[in-house]
Amino acid sequence: MIAQLVLSVLLAAILLYAWTEYRRSPTVALLSLFVATAGLYFVWFPAHSTWLAELVGIGRGVDLILYTWVCISLLVLLNLHLKLRTQMELITALARKIALADAQFPIEEGKIRAPVRE
């Protein structure tokens, strides 16, 4: 019973967070609402997760929830990695443009060399 209460409080906090972040990212908020609601349901009715697990060919409900959680976590990590990589590529391109725009070229005997553009 204590575990159910603790998990319920944590999942309720996720529901509250998803509700407040809806304007910023509706897709993430809706997915968070769905997952947290499903989590609350399975916390209070664990026999239903066992029934669902047996339906899909997994022995226990806990195993089904853990497998699902691992898959979701891997998708989130992949998504974050791809976004971070895109950001780094944009920062690199921006740094190159700034470096070329601010480049100073040496003066050779009264001549100013023009910058070489690619």
Side-chain angles (χ1 to χ4, degrees), residues 19-72:
W19 182 262
T20 59
E21 291 296 316
Y22 181 76
R23 287 183 194 223
R24 185 174 300 166
S25 180
T27 304
V28 173
L30 289 174
L31 286 173
S32 297
L33 285 169
F34 174 74
V35 170
T37 303
L40 276 171
Y41 179 78
F42 288 132
V43 162
W44 287 100
F45 302 104
H48 293 178
S49 67
T50 302
W51 173 81
L52 185 61
E54 289 173 354
L55 185 69
V56 296
I58 298 174
R60 299 182 307 166
V62 172
D63 293 338
L64 174 66
I65 291 170
L66 284 174
Y67 298 156
T68 305
W69 180 254
V70 168
C71 291
I72 291 171

Side-chain angles (χ1 to χ4, degrees), residues 81-96:
H81 170 73
L82 293 175
K83 285 185 178 190
L84 181 62
R85 189 171 173 181
T86 302
Q87 288 293 321
M88 292 304 295
E89 289 172 0
L90 288 172
I91 289 171
T92 301
L94 180 61
R96 282 186 187 140

